[in-house]
Amino acid sequence: MAKLEIITAPDPRLKQTCRPVERVDDAVRRLMDDMLETMYLATGIGLAAPQVGVLLRVIVVDVSKEGRESSPLKMANPKVVWRSDGLVRYEEGCLSVPDNFGEVERPERVRVGYLDRDGAAREDEFDGVLATCVQHEIDHLDGVLFVDHLSALKRNIIIRRLQKARRIKAAAE
Ligand code: GNR
Ligand code: NI
């Protein structure tokens, strides 16, 4: 497995609609495995392919607590096929929007269709933080970041902070 570089906003690649995986082949399996390693090293609970610059509909998720047995999910072409009427608010962060957080309201439960690491079609229902995380990752595949769910005011504050952080980093190089 290999560690990949995580790209941060504002980057045009994070705003693209990703294309579906045609077949879960060895290259897709390797991408899934590398993404999971990258996510663990960054101590994230999910990661979408565009965050490592690959514009394919692939996500990985593992919300298990540190030290507990891990339960990674690797999905190609994930799609929400059912969402609950009930909504929950959750404080979200994103590895591509470092050091910024905001409360996002999303369906409390979702049912998701996807292809697993063996290319088999599956459907699973998620709740709790897993439901929030899977929806956050699927958003990435359509070029949507959690800041896009915030008010324009909050979004602009975060975008300006990111641009400033980038300027400071560029000046130091
Ligand atoms: O690590 C992450 N934590 C998180 C917290 C609340 C809601 C969503 C997330 S996903 C995020 C990793 C990430 O950026 N995935 O795209
Ligand atoms: Ni994210």
Side-chain angles (χ1 to χ4, degrees):
M1 289 205 276
K3 185 188 173 195
L4 308 171
E5 193 193 331
I6 297 177
I7 62 177
T8 57
D11 185 305
R13 287 171 289 179
L14 294 170
K15 302 267 72 185
Q16 306 298 310
T17 299
C18 297
R19 55 177 201 287
V21 166
E22 277 178 29
R23 202 167 64 87
V24 181
D25 56 14
D26 285 345
V28 170
R29 274 188 280 277
R30 170 188 287 245
L31 173 66
M32 288 169 162
D33 296 345
D34 288 348
M35 284 170 58
L36 197 71
E37 180 177 22
T38 302
M39 184 195 85
Y40 286 140
L41 289 169
T43 61
I45 59 173
L47 194 68
Q51 294 181 275
V52 294
V54 177
L55 301 184
L56 272 179
R57 303 189 80 82
V58 172
I59 67 171
V60 296
V61 174
D62 188 349
V63 302
S64 58
K65 294 262 173 11
E66 216 183 304
R68 298 275 197 90
E69 198 175 330
S70 66
S71 48
L73 285 164
K74 301 172 181 182
M75 305 185 188
N77 303 343
K79 185 181 187 305
V80 175
V81 296
W82 172 83
R83 39 176 69 78
S84 64
D85 290 332
L87 306 175
V88 281
R89 295 182 75 79
Y90 207 88
E91 173 100 348
E92 299 197 12
C94 181
L95 294 170
S96 296
V97 188
D99 307 321
N100 287 277
F101 303 89
E103 279 213 342
V104 178
E105 193 171 59
R106 299 183 189 271
E108 186 175 18
R109 301 177 69 87
V110 286
R111 199 166 174 79
V112 176
Y114 63 96
L115 300 177
D116 69 14
R117 196 178 177 283
D118 301 316
R122 301 175 61 100
E123 241 183 62
D124 282 314
E125 203 165 304
F126 302 110
D127 61 9
V129 61
L130 197 48
T132 290
C133 186
V134 168
Q135 291 176 81
H136 172 118
E137 303 315 333
I138 294 175
D139 266 359
H140 273 298
L141 306 181
D142 294 310
V144 175
L145 301 176
F146 81 87
V147 296
D148 297 315
H149 294 288
L150 306 178
S151 69
L153 179 67
K154 285 185 186 155
R155 180 167 57 249
N156 286 334
I157 289 171
I158 290 177
I159 289 167
R160 290 208 187 92
R161 265 195 220 138
L162 290 170
Q163 286 168 336
K164 186 176 174 189
R166 179 163 293 204
R167 276 201 306 277
I168 290 168
K169 190 163 172 276
E173 275 165 8

